[in-house]
Every structure is written in structure tokens, then in C-alpha cells.
Amino acid sequence: MAEHNAKANKKNNTKNKMSAAQREAKMKAAEERQKRADEKKAAQERTKRIFTWIIVIILVIGLTLPVAGLSAAGCMSQDVAQTASEQTVDDAAADADAAADTAASSSTKG
């Protein structure tokens, strides 16, 4: 059994032997793969960063515009409400003056 294992190990050792040029080529290929992987990772990180900024900008604009619009509409509605209340007060005063004039003229006639 041990003799069989020794033969198998010797056979594997001869298969694993590489020349210096082969080892050099294998190392260069591994470095190239690593370099490509690093570049791909950097590109993905850059894309992710850009995508994140785009989403943040969209959210800021999406949340700011409606709030600004509602604020402007609120200011306008307050102005309209204030103008309407002023007109109501003016109309009421004019009606009171007209009623007083009517009452005064009817009392002088009667």
C-alpha cells in the first residue's frame, strides 16, 4: 500500500513541476486578473456613489418643491383670507352706514 502511495505522489510531483517561464506567466496572469478585478470594483463603487448622489438630489428636489409650493399657496391663501375679511368688514360698515342713512331719512320724513 505504501508503495502504491509513493508512486502516486511521485506521479503528482512530476505533474506539478513548472518551468520558471511558466511560473512567471502564471504570476503575470494572476496579477492581471487582480488588476482587472480592482478596476471593476472601483468602477462599481464610483457608479454606486454617483447613483447615490442622483437619488439624494431627486429626493431633495422632490421634497422641497411641494413644501415650497404649499408655503407659497399658504401665503397666498392667507393674503386672500385677509383681503376677504377686510372686504367683509368694509361691506358690513357700508351696510351699517346705508342702514343708518335709511333710518335717519325715514325718521325725518315721518
Side-chain angles (χ1 to χ4, degrees):
M1 184 80 157
E3 200 176 291
H4 178 43
N5 286 338
K7 285 183 182 179
N9 287 339
K10 187 175 183 182
K11 193 174 186 180
N12 287 337
N13 287 340
T14 57
K15 284 185 180 179
N16 290 336
K17 290 183 181 177
M18 285 189 238
S19 68
Q22 288 173 330
R23 270 185 263 133
E24 183 74 24
K26 194 172 185 179
M27 293 292 284
K28 283 185 180 181
E31 289 173 0
E32 188 65 32
R33 280 193 307 269
Q34 184 65 35
K35 183 179 175 183
R36 282 193 305 253
D38 291 344
E39 289 174 355
K40 185 176 180 182
K41 187 176 179 180
Q44 286 176 340
E45 289 175 4
R46 188 171 44 251
T47 303
K48 184 178 178 181
R49 201 174 315 126
I50 291 170
F51 181 74
T52 303
W53 276 107
I54 290 172
I55 294 299
V56 167
I57 290 169
I58 289 171
L59 286 174
V60 166
I61 291 171
L63 294 174
T64 304
L65 288 179
V67 170
L70 290 174
S71 299
C75 291
M76 287 182 208
S77 65
Q78 288 176 353
D79 292 343
V80 170
Q82 185 177 5
T83 305
S85 65
E86 288 173 358
Q87 287 176 349
T88 306
V89 170
D90 291 343
D91 291 343
D95 290 342
D97 289 342
D101 289 342
T102 307
S105 66
S106 50
S107 64
T108 54
K109 289 183 182 177

XYZ file of all heavy atoms in Angstrom:
810
model
N 0.814 -1.178 0.000
C 0.000 0.000 0.000
C 0.867 1.255 0.000
O 0.577 2.189 -0.727
C -0.907 -0.054 1.227
C -1.863 1.056 1.303
S -3.206 0.653 0.211
C -4.463 1.584 0.836
N 1.886 1.267 0.827
C 2.775 2.412 0.899
C 3.501 2.606 -0.413
O 3.773 3.728 -0.829
C 3.773 2.224 2.036
N 3.817 1.495 -1.078
C 4.494 1.571 -2.374
C 3.588 2.217 -3.414
O 4.024 3.026 -4.224
C 4.854 0.136 -2.805
C 5.935 0.069 -3.826
C 6.280 -1.380 -4.096
O 6.855 -2.049 -3.218
O 5.916 -1.821 -5.195
N 2.319 1.914 -3.350
C 1.347 2.488 -4.279
C 1.225 4.000 -4.045
O 1.182 4.785 -4.996
C 0.005 1.787 -4.104
C -1.077 2.325 -4.987
N -0.892 2.629 -6.301
C -2.382 2.609 -4.732
C -2.018 3.082 -6.826
N -2.938 3.070 -5.872
N 1.191 4.426 -2.787
C 1.100 5.853 -2.454
C 2.355 6.599 -2.904
O 2.272 7.731 -3.356
C 0.896 6.047 -0.953
C -0.513 5.684 -0.528
O -1.425 5.689 -1.348
N -0.687 5.347 0.740
N 3.512 5.966 -2.773
C 4.759 6.604 -3.188
C 4.760 6.827 -4.681
O 5.186 7.879 -5.177
C 5.953 5.754 -2.763
N 4.263 5.858 -5.427
C 4.190 6.008 -6.889
C 3.205 7.120 -7.264
O 3.465 7.915 -8.162
C 3.765 4.697 -7.534
C 4.841 3.653 -7.587
C 4.334 2.425 -8.297
C 5.403 1.333 -8.303
N 4.900 0.136 -8.980
N 2.087 7.198 -6.572
C 1.084 8.223 -6.861
C 1.642 9.608 -6.551
O 1.452 10.557 -7.320
C -0.190 7.972 -6.060
N 2.355 9.733 -5.432
C 2.952 11.015 -5.062
C 4.015 11.440 -6.064
O 4.119 12.608 -6.426
C 3.555 10.951 -3.661
C 2.483 10.932 -2.591
O 1.357 11.349 -2.841
N 2.829 10.446 -1.416
N 4.838 10.462 -6.510
C 5.889 10.775 -7.483
C 5.270 11.228 -8.801
O 5.733 12.179 -9.429
C 6.780 9.550 -7.704
C 7.973 9.839 -8.555
C 8.874 8.632 -8.636
C 10.103 8.991 -9.441
N 10.996 7.861 -9.600
N 4.180 10.588 -9.179
C 3.496 10.957 -10.410
C 2.927 12.370 -10.296
O 3.030 13.176 -11.214
C 2.395 9.939 -10.704
C 1.821 10.035 -12.077
C 0.845 8.892 -12.310
C 0.368 8.890 -13.734
N -0.574 7.810 -13.999
N 2.318 12.707 -9.147
C 1.761 14.050 -8.931
C 2.856 15.105 -8.911
O 2.678 16.211 -9.404
C 0.968 14.102 -7.624
C -0.355 13.382 -7.737
O -0.871 13.212 -8.841
N -0.905 12.948 -6.613
N 3.996 14.788 -8.307
C 5.102 15.743 -8.248
C 5.633 16.077 -9.629
O 6.003 17.214 -9.896
C 6.228 15.210 -7.369
C 5.862 15.261 -5.901
O 4.970 15.998 -5.517
N 6.549 14.461 -5.097
N 5.678 15.118 -10.504
C 6.169 15.402 -11.844
C 5.157 16.242 -12.620
O 5.537 17.049 -13.455
C 6.467 14.098 -12.615
O 5.287 13.302 -12.667
C 7.600 13.339 -11.980
N 3.901 16.093 -12.325
C 2.879 16.900 -12.997
C 2.906 18.348 -12.501
O 2.602 19.258 -13.244
C 1.484 16.326 -12.741
C 1.175 15.096 -13.538
C -0.264 14.680 -13.291
C -0.612 13.434 -14.074
N -1.991 13.010 -13.831
N 3.249 18.552 -11.261
C 3.223 19.891 -10.671
C 4.467 20.705 -10.979
O 4.499 21.892 -10.680
C 3.053 19.801 -9.155
C 1.661 19.316 -8.784
O 0.736 19.473 -9.559
N 1.531 18.722 -7.613
N 5.479 20.089 -11.531
C 6.707 20.837 -11.824
C 6.483 21.755 -13.018
O 5.939 21.351 -14.030
C 7.863 19.890 -12.106
C 8.325 19.144 -10.893
C 9.513 18.285 -11.195
C 9.944 17.534 -9.952
N 11.058 16.644 -10.227
N 6.880 23.020 -12.825
C 6.742 24.009 -13.894
C 8.086 24.667 -14.123
O 8.883 24.802 -13.210
C 5.763 25.110 -13.491
C 4.335 24.772 -13.512
S 3.399 26.278 -13.249
C 2.488 25.841 -11.806
N 8.238 25.129 -15.309
C 9.471 25.866 -15.592
C 9.324 27.290 -15.051
O 8.234 27.736 -14.708
C 9.730 25.890 -17.097
O 8.744 26.674 -17.733
N 10.425 27.996 -14.985
C 10.413 29.370 -14.478
C 9.552 30.263 -15.364
O 8.827 31.141 -14.880
C 11.827 29.906 -14.391
N 9.595 30.033 -16.652
C 8.797 30.836 -17.585
C 7.303 30.593 -17.363
O 6.491 31.529 -17.418
C 9.176 30.508 -19.021
N 6.942 29.346 -17.083
C 5.533 29.037 -16.834
C 5.056 29.692 -15.536
O 3.953 30.233 -15.476
C 5.336 27.519 -16.765
C 5.452 26.828 -18.103
C 5.410 25.321 -17.957
O 5.831 24.773 -16.945
N 4.895 24.659 -18.991
N 5.909 29.614 -14.500
C 5.557 30.253 -13.232
C 5.415 31.762 -13.409
O 4.496 32.384 -12.893
C 6.614 29.954 -12.171
C 6.294 28.695 -11.392
C 7.269 28.470 -10.275
N 8.260 27.528 -10.830
C 9.561 27.641 -10.742
N 10.097 28.633 -10.084
N 10.366 26.756 -11.292
N 6.320 32.345 -14.171
C 6.283 33.786 -14.446
C 4.996 34.157 -15.183
O 4.326 35.144 -14.848
C 7.511 34.187 -15.269
C 7.620 35.664 -15.549
C 8.049 36.458 -14.334
O 8.680 35.892 -13.433
O 7.719 37.654 -14.298
N 4.632 33.372 -16.169
C 3.405 33.628 -16.938
C 2.176 33.492 -16.054
O 1.227 34.284 -16.142
C 3.316 32.668 -18.122
N 2.203 32.476 -15.192
C 1.080 32.271 -14.283
C 0.956 33.435 -13.307
O -0.163 33.908 -13.020
C 1.281 30.957 -13.531
C 0.060 30.463 -12.830
C 0.290 29.059 -12.274
C -0.983 28.526 -11.670
N -0.820 27.183 -11.149
N 2.075 33.931 -12.795
C 2.060 35.072 -11.876
C 1.550 36.335 -12.571
O 0.757 37.085 -12.007
C 3.465 35.320 -11.307
C 3.979 34.223 -10.390
S 3.052 34.143 -8.870
C 3.720 35.556 -8.046
N 1.999 36.558 -13.802
C 1.541 37.730 -14.556
C 0.043 37.655 -14.815
O -0.669 38.659 -14.717
C 2.296 37.854 -15.876
C 3.693 38.405 -15.722
C 4.353 38.609 -17.068
C 5.748 39.173 -16.890
N 6.429 39.408 -18.164
N -0.435 36.456 -15.148
C -1.868 36.278 -15.396
C -2.669 36.551 -14.118
O -3.726 37.199 -14.158
C -2.148 34.874 -15.918
N -2.168 36.062 -12.987
C -2.858 36.304 -11.713
C -2.870 37.788 -11.372
O -3.888 38.326 -10.918
C -2.174 35.508 -10.606
N -1.734 38.471 -11.582
C -1.681 39.909 -11.323
C -2.642 40.665 -12.233
O -3.302 41.613 -11.805
C -0.253 40.421 -11.504
C 0.705 39.977 -10.421
C 2.149 40.360 -10.711
O 2.415 40.990 -11.770
O 3.008 40.049 -9.878
N -2.720 40.253 -13.482
C -3.626 40.901 -14.439
C -5.083 40.702 -14.019
O -5.892 41.631 -14.089
C -3.376 40.349 -15.847
C -4.127 41.073 -16.939
C -3.695 42.519 -17.105
O -2.519 42.837 -16.866
O -4.559 43.345 -17.478
N -5.411 39.482 -13.588
C -6.779 39.223 -13.106
C -7.094 40.087 -11.895
O -8.185 40.662 -11.800
C -6.947 37.742 -12.740
C -7.172 36.829 -13.907
C -7.637 35.450 -13.456
N -6.763 34.844 -12.444
C -5.730 34.067 -12.697
N -5.409 33.782 -13.948
N -5.018 33.553 -11.711
N -6.131 40.194 -10.987
C -6.327 41.008 -9.792
C -6.501 42.477 -10.159
O -7.352 43.165 -9.615
C -5.142 40.834 -8.830
C -5.306 41.567 -7.520
C -6.453 41.023 -6.692
O -6.713 39.836 -6.695
N -7.149 41.911 -6.018
N -5.695 42.944 -11.111
C -5.787 44.340 -11.559
C -7.154 44.622 -12.183
O -7.786 45.638 -11.891
C -4.670 44.628 -12.563
C -4.613 46.053 -13.035
C -3.473 46.260 -14.012
C -3.476 47.660 -14.586
N -2.422 47.833 -15.591
N -7.628 43.713 -13.026
C -8.951 43.880 -13.638
C -10.053 43.854 -12.589
O -11.013 44.628 -12.663
C -9.194 42.792 -14.687
C -8.495 43.046 -16.008
C -9.023 42.121 -17.082
N -8.928 40.712 -16.689
C -8.059 39.836 -17.174
N -7.209 40.209 -18.109
N -8.051 38.592 -16.752
N -9.919 42.968 -11.606
C -10.919 42.892 -10.536
C -10.949 44.186 -9.728
O -12.027 44.685 -9.378
C -10.636 41.701 -9.634
N -9.770 44.737 -9.438
C -9.703 46.005 -8.699
C -10.318 47.151 -9.493
O -11.043 47.989 -8.949
C -8.258 46.345 -8.338
C -7.685 45.402 -7.282
O -8.469 44.696 -6.608
O -6.438 45.369 -7.153
N -10.033 47.200 -10.797
C -10.613 48.247 -11.651
C -12.126 48.120 -11.719
O -12.850 49.118 -11.662
C -10.009 48.176 -13.045
C -8.562 48.629 -13.120
C -7.942 48.398 -14.490
O -8.609 47.795 -15.366
O -6.780 48.813 -14.680
N -12.602 46.888 -11.813
C -14.048 46.659 -11.877
C -14.703 47.081 -10.563
O -15.760 47.717 -10.563
C -14.328 45.186 -12.155
C -15.778 44.864 -12.353
C -15.981 43.397 -12.717
C -17.445 43.086 -12.902
N -17.648 41.663 -13.211
N -14.064 46.764 -9.447
C -14.590 47.147 -8.141
C -14.619 48.664 -7.988
O -15.594 49.230 -7.490
C -13.746 46.517 -7.035
C -14.298 46.723 -5.654
C -13.468 45.998 -4.623
C -14.026 46.232 -3.236
N -13.236 45.541 -2.210
N -13.556 49.336 -8.433
C -13.506 50.801 -8.362
C -14.602 51.425 -9.220
O -15.250 52.400 -8.811
C -12.138 51.302 -8.800
N -14.827 50.859 -10.406
C -15.888 51.375 -11.280
C -17.254 51.175 -10.646
O -18.117 52.066 -10.721
C -15.822 50.689 -12.638
N -17.472 50.037 -10.008
C -18.749 49.796 -9.338
C -18.957 50.758 -8.183
O -20.066 51.276 -7.992
C -18.819 48.354 -8.838
C -19.024 47.340 -9.931
C -18.990 45.914 -9.408
O -18.476 45.642 -8.332
N -19.543 44.996 -10.190
N -17.902 51.020 -7.415
C -18.012 51.966 -6.303
C -18.311 53.374 -6.813
O -19.131 54.092 -6.238
C -16.731 51.965 -5.476
C -16.533 50.714 -4.662
C -15.204 50.675 -3.939
O -14.443 51.674 -4.014
O -14.919 49.650 -3.303
N -17.661 53.765 -7.897
C -17.888 55.089 -8.485
C -19.332 55.192 -8.979
O -20.015 56.192 -8.728
C -16.896 55.314 -9.623
C -16.892 56.702 -10.176
C -15.754 56.947 -11.163
N -15.549 55.881 -12.129
C -14.514 55.039 -12.142
N -13.579 55.127 -11.224
N -14.411 54.111 -13.065
N -19.814 54.150 -9.638
C -21.194 54.140 -10.128
C -22.174 54.209 -8.969
O -23.168 54.945 -9.026
C -21.452 52.870 -10.963
O -20.505 52.823 -12.022
C -22.853 52.847 -11.524
N -21.886 53.465 -7.917
C -22.759 53.478 -6.746
C -22.798 54.861 -6.111
O -23.858 55.347 -5.721
C -22.267 52.442 -5.732
C -23.134 52.298 -4.520
C -22.595 51.229 -3.598
C -23.439 51.109 -2.348
N -22.894 50.084 -1.443
N -21.629 55.512 -6.021
C -21.552 56.855 -5.444
C -22.345 57.845 -6.283
O -23.115 58.668 -5.747
C -20.091 57.288 -5.351
C -19.849 58.377 -4.356
C -18.374 58.694 -4.159
N -17.544 57.502 -4.023
C -16.467 57.236 -4.765
N -16.075 58.079 -5.688
N -15.775 56.139 -4.576
N -22.218 57.776 -7.596
C -22.955 58.674 -8.490
C -24.452 58.419 -8.366
O -25.259 59.357 -8.270
C -22.476 58.498 -9.950
C -21.055 59.037 -10.094
C -23.421 59.184 -10.926
C -20.397 58.692 -11.418
N -24.841 57.148 -8.354
C -26.257 56.792 -8.219
C -26.815 57.319 -6.900
O -27.932 57.850 -6.863
C -26.409 55.261 -8.296
C -27.814 54.782 -8.195
C -28.684 54.924 -9.257
C -28.262 54.187 -7.032
C -29.985 54.478 -9.165
C -29.558 53.741 -6.931
C -30.426 53.881 -7.995
N -26.044 57.202 -5.827
C -26.493 57.700 -4.522
C -26.711 59.207 -4.564
O -27.718 59.708 -4.057
C -25.465 57.340 -3.434
O -25.283 55.923 -3.422
C -25.913 57.809 -2.072
N -25.777 59.942 -5.167
C -25.941 61.393 -5.269
C -27.161 61.767 -6.099
O -27.886 62.717 -5.762
C -24.684 62.046 -5.844
C -23.664 62.296 -4.785
C -22.502 61.630 -4.587
C -23.733 63.282 -3.754
N -21.841 62.141 -3.505
C -22.576 63.162 -2.968
C -24.659 64.254 -3.418
C -22.332 63.970 -1.870
C -24.410 65.066 -2.325
C -23.265 64.919 -1.570
N -27.400 61.040 -7.173
C -28.578 61.322 -8.003
C -29.848 61.109 -7.194
O -30.774 61.932 -7.238
C -28.556 60.460 -9.279
C -27.444 60.948 -10.209
C -29.905 60.480 -9.987
C -27.197 60.054 -11.397
N -29.916 60.022 -6.440
C -31.099 59.750 -5.617
C -31.279 60.838 -4.560
O -32.395 61.313 -4.332
C -30.977 58.360 -4.951
C -31.010 57.252 -6.011
C -32.073 58.141 -3.912
C -32.282 57.210 -6.817
N -30.198 61.268 -3.927
C -30.288 62.318 -2.915
C -30.804 63.611 -3.531
O -31.680 64.273 -2.970
C -28.912 62.538 -2.239
C -28.893 63.817 -1.432
C -28.561 61.352 -1.373
N -30.292 63.964 -4.691
C -30.734 65.199 -5.360
C -32.213 65.103 -5.725
O -32.974 66.056 -5.516
C -29.852 65.474 -6.595
C -28.451 65.884 -6.136
C -30.468 66.552 -7.481
C -27.423 65.932 -7.245
N -32.628 63.959 -6.253
C -34.044 63.789 -6.604
C -34.920 63.905 -5.361
O -35.974 64.553 -5.390
C -34.256 62.439 -7.317
C -33.653 62.498 -8.725
C -35.732 62.061 -7.379
C -33.609 61.167 -9.435
N -34.499 63.300 -4.264
C -35.289 63.385 -3.034
C -35.353 64.810 -2.499
O -36.412 65.266 -2.068
C -34.706 62.453 -1.970
C -34.952 60.969 -2.186
C -34.209 60.145 -1.152
C -36.435 60.660 -2.133
N -34.236 65.517 -2.529
C -34.237 66.900 -2.045
C -35.170 67.758 -2.882
O -35.990 68.510 -2.349
C -32.799 67.471 -2.039
C -32.793 68.973 -1.868
C -31.983 66.806 -0.950
N -35.059 67.625 -4.191
C -35.943 68.407 -5.070
C -37.396 67.978 -4.889
O -38.292 68.813 -4.794
C -35.503 68.259 -6.542
C -34.165 68.969 -6.751
C -36.559 68.819 -7.492
C -33.541 68.711 -8.110
N -37.601 66.672 -4.820
C -38.964 66.158 -4.677
C -39.620 66.570 -3.379
O -40.833 66.734 -3.314
N -38.847 66.727 -2.332
C -39.427 67.139 -1.058
C -39.456 68.649 -0.887
O -40.299 69.172 -0.176
C -38.636 66.504 0.097
C -38.729 64.982 0.179
C -37.791 64.458 1.252
C -40.139 64.534 0.449
N -38.568 69.360 -1.543
C -38.501 70.809 -1.391
C -39.576 71.513 -2.207
O -40.220 72.444 -1.716
C -37.112 71.327 -1.805
O -36.135 70.651 -1.026
C -36.988 72.808 -1.591
N -39.760 71.112 -3.440
C -40.724 71.800 -4.311
C -42.151 71.761 -3.767
O -42.813 72.804 -3.731
C -40.652 71.239 -5.724
C -39.393 71.620 -6.511
C -39.425 70.982 -7.886
C -39.248 73.107 -6.623
N -42.671 70.613 -3.351
C -44.039 70.629 -2.809
C -44.158 71.475 -1.547
O -45.153 72.175 -1.359
C -44.324 69.159 -2.501
C -43.410 68.398 -3.376
C -42.187 69.239 -3.503
N -43.152 71.424 -0.693
C -43.199 72.223 0.536
C -43.178 73.708 0.186
O -43.936 74.499 0.749
C -42.021 71.851 1.473
C -41.912 72.821 2.626
C -42.193 70.436 1.969
N -42.316 74.080 -0.749
C -42.266 75.479 -1.170
C -43.591 75.887 -1.821
O -44.091 76.992 -1.585
C -41.099 75.695 -2.135
N -44.143 74.999 -2.624
C -45.427 75.291 -3.257
C -46.539 75.444 -2.237
O -47.368 76.354 -2.330
N -46.560 74.567 -1.246
C -47.582 74.678 -0.207
C -47.374 75.931 0.635
O -48.344 76.573 1.047
C -47.561 73.439 0.686
C -48.059 72.149 0.023
C -47.843 70.971 0.964
C -49.527 72.277 -0.336
N -46.127 76.278 0.870
C -45.850 77.503 1.621
C -46.341 78.719 0.850
O -46.968 79.611 1.410
C -44.351 77.656 1.877
O -43.863 76.589 2.639
N -46.039 78.735 -0.440
C -46.487 79.856 -1.271
C -48.009 79.884 -1.340
O -48.623 80.953 -1.239
C -45.882 79.748 -2.665
N -48.618 78.719 -1.485
C -50.080 78.673 -1.536
C -50.668 79.093 -0.197
O -51.703 79.767 -0.147
C -50.543 77.267 -1.906
N -50.001 78.719 0.879
C -50.465 79.130 2.200
C -50.377 80.620 2.381
O -51.283 81.247 2.927
N -49.313 81.220 1.909
C -49.167 82.675 1.995
C -50.226 83.353 1.154
O -50.813 84.345 1.566
C -47.776 83.103 1.528
S -46.456 82.603 2.628
N -50.470 82.794 -0.023
C -51.484 83.386 -0.894
C -52.863 83.245 -0.274
O -53.659 84.173 -0.320
C -51.454 82.710 -2.262
C -50.286 83.086 -3.110
S -50.447 82.247 -4.689
C -48.748 82.125 -5.143
N -53.138 82.094 0.314
C -54.463 81.907 0.895
C -54.638 82.805 2.114
O -55.732 83.276 2.380
C -54.682 80.440 1.260
O -53.785 80.043 2.276
N -53.554 83.045 2.856
C -53.653 83.977 3.971
C -53.915 85.381 3.467
O -54.722 86.114 4.040
C -52.369 83.948 4.808
C -52.217 82.693 5.627
C -50.895 82.650 6.371
O -50.050 83.509 6.171
N -50.728 81.646 7.222
N -53.259 85.771 2.378
C -53.493 87.091 1.795
C -54.927 87.199 1.303
O -55.591 88.212 1.518
C -52.528 87.358 0.643
C -51.082 87.519 1.111
O -50.882 87.747 2.330
O -50.176 87.405 0.268
N -55.411 86.149 0.647
C -56.786 86.145 0.137
C -57.761 86.191 1.298
O -58.753 86.929 1.268
C -57.024 84.903 -0.755
C -58.484 84.736 -1.098
C -56.191 85.005 -2.021
N -57.483 85.413 2.343
C -58.373 85.401 3.501
C -58.372 86.762 4.188
O -59.426 87.258 4.596
C -57.939 84.314 4.481
N -57.208 87.364 4.297
C -57.128 88.676 4.934
C -57.865 89.711 4.086
O -58.621 90.532 4.608
C -55.663 89.083 5.116
C -55.489 90.372 5.881
C -54.016 90.689 6.099
O -53.158 89.994 5.599
N -53.748 91.745 6.843
N -57.686 89.664 2.777
C -58.377 90.593 1.884
C -59.881 90.375 1.951
O -60.658 91.333 1.996
C -57.880 90.394 0.438
O -56.470 90.532 0.423
C -58.512 91.397 -0.499
N -60.286 89.101 1.977
C -61.716 88.799 2.051
C -62.305 89.293 3.363
O -63.417 89.852 3.389
C -61.947 87.306 1.901
N -61.591 89.116 4.457
C -62.115 89.586 5.752
C -62.167 91.110 5.781
O -63.095 91.689 6.343
C -61.280 89.042 6.916
O -59.962 89.564 6.860
N -61.193 91.759 5.171
C -61.224 93.222 5.095
C -62.414 93.684 4.266
O -63.086 94.655 4.625
C -59.925 93.753 4.501
C -58.729 93.633 5.427
C -57.426 94.020 4.747
O -57.436 94.349 3.541
O -56.381 93.979 5.425
N -62.664 92.971 3.156
C -63.809 93.335 2.323
C -65.110 93.101 3.075
O -66.050 93.891 2.968
C -63.805 92.523 1.030
C -62.740 92.956 0.055
C -62.705 92.066 -1.180
O -63.328 91.020 -1.207
N -61.956 92.496 -2.190
N -65.189 92.039 3.862
C -66.389 91.756 4.642
C -66.630 92.851 5.670
O -67.752 93.317 5.853
C -66.259 90.385 5.347
O -65.960 89.393 4.375
C -67.522 90.014 6.083
N -65.562 93.270 6.327
C -65.676 94.344 7.316
C -66.089 95.636 6.613
O -66.970 96.366 7.097
C -64.338 94.524 8.077
C -64.353 95.777 8.925
C -64.059 93.297 8.932
N -65.490 95.920 5.466
C -65.846 97.129 4.721
C -67.291 97.058 4.247
O -68.019 98.060 4.315
C -64.909 97.315 3.513
C -63.478 97.677 3.934
O -63.297 98.097 5.103
O -62.564 97.535 3.096
N -67.722 95.894 3.766
C -69.109 95.735 3.315
C -70.076 95.890 4.480
O -71.146 96.520 4.344
C -69.309 94.370 2.652
C -68.576 94.259 1.313
O -68.191 95.322 0.761
O -68.385 93.121 0.820
N -69.709 95.325 5.610
C -70.573 95.426 6.785
C -70.673 96.890 7.235
O -71.743 97.372 7.605
C -70.038 94.552 7.916
N -69.546 97.607 7.203
C -69.560 99.014 7.583
C -70.394 99.822 6.591
O -71.168 100.717 6.987
C -68.140 99.558 7.648
N -70.272 99.504 5.310
C -71.052 100.213 4.293
C -72.538 99.919 4.471
O -73.384 100.824 4.340
C -70.591 99.806 2.903
N -72.877 98.661 4.786
C -74.280 98.307 5.023
C -74.815 99.023 6.258
O -75.962 99.494 6.271
C -74.438 96.786 5.200
C -74.216 96.022 3.899
O -74.279 96.662 2.814
O -73.975 94.783 3.949
N -73.994 99.119 7.279
C -74.411 99.812 8.501
C -74.631 101.291 8.221
O -75.595 101.895 8.699
C -73.372 99.612 9.601
N -73.741 101.881 7.431
C -73.905 103.289 7.080
C -75.171 103.492 6.255
O -75.927 104.457 6.457
C -72.688 103.793 6.292
C -71.439 103.935 7.164
O -71.586 103.983 8.411
O -70.320 103.985 6.587
N -75.408 102.571 5.309
C -76.603 102.674 4.474
C -77.854 102.507 5.326
O -78.854 103.229 5.142
C -76.567 101.629 3.371
N -77.808 101.577 6.258
C -78.983 101.378 7.154
C -79.200 102.608 8.016
O -80.340 103.008 8.268
C -78.755 100.120 7.990
N -78.126 103.194 8.507
C -78.251 104.370 9.355
C -78.810 105.544 8.526
O -79.636 106.306 9.006
C -76.890 104.729 9.944
N -78.348 105.684 7.298
C -78.856 106.744 6.437
C -80.336 106.522 6.144
O -81.133 107.485 6.148
C -78.069 106.789 5.120
C -76.654 107.307 5.308
O -76.369 107.937 6.340
O -75.809 107.054 4.399
N -80.709 105.279 5.893
C -82.121 104.972 5.624
C -82.955 105.250 6.852
O -84.056 105.825 6.761
C -82.247 103.479 5.203
O -81.370 103.198 4.130
C -83.666 103.143 4.824
N -82.469 104.878 7.976
C -83.208 105.102 9.214
C -83.311 106.598 9.498
O -84.350 107.103 9.927
C -82.514 104.382 10.375
N -82.245 107.310 9.252
C -82.267 108.746 9.513
C -83.235 109.455 8.547
O -83.963 110.359 8.932
C -80.856 109.311 9.359
N -83.223 109.031 7.290
C -84.093 109.685 6.329
C -85.568 109.331 6.577
O -86.453 110.147 6.388
C -83.689 109.337 4.910
O -83.893 107.963 4.659
N -85.845 108.109 7.007
C -87.230 107.751 7.281
C -87.729 108.402 8.553
O -88.895 108.726 8.675
C -87.436 106.241 7.316
O -86.498 105.613 8.157
N -86.876 108.666 9.523
C -87.320 109.313 10.745
C -87.572 110.802 10.499
O -88.433 111.421 11.116
C -86.326 109.109 11.881
O -85.098 109.732 11.559
N -86.869 111.408 9.582
C -87.091 112.802 9.289
C -88.334 112.972 8.453
O -88.970 114.006 8.508
C -85.875 113.398 8.537
O -85.606 112.624 7.397
C -84.670 113.473 9.438
N -88.696 111.957 7.653
C -89.887 112.037 6.839
C -91.130 111.807 7.664
O -92.196 112.293 7.322
C -89.841 111.000 5.714
C -88.841 111.315 4.642
C -88.933 110.276 3.548
C -87.925 110.524 2.491
N -87.922 109.512 1.461
N -91.022 111.013 8.679
C -92.176 110.538 9.375
C -92.611 111.317 10.477
O -93.382 112.072 10.756
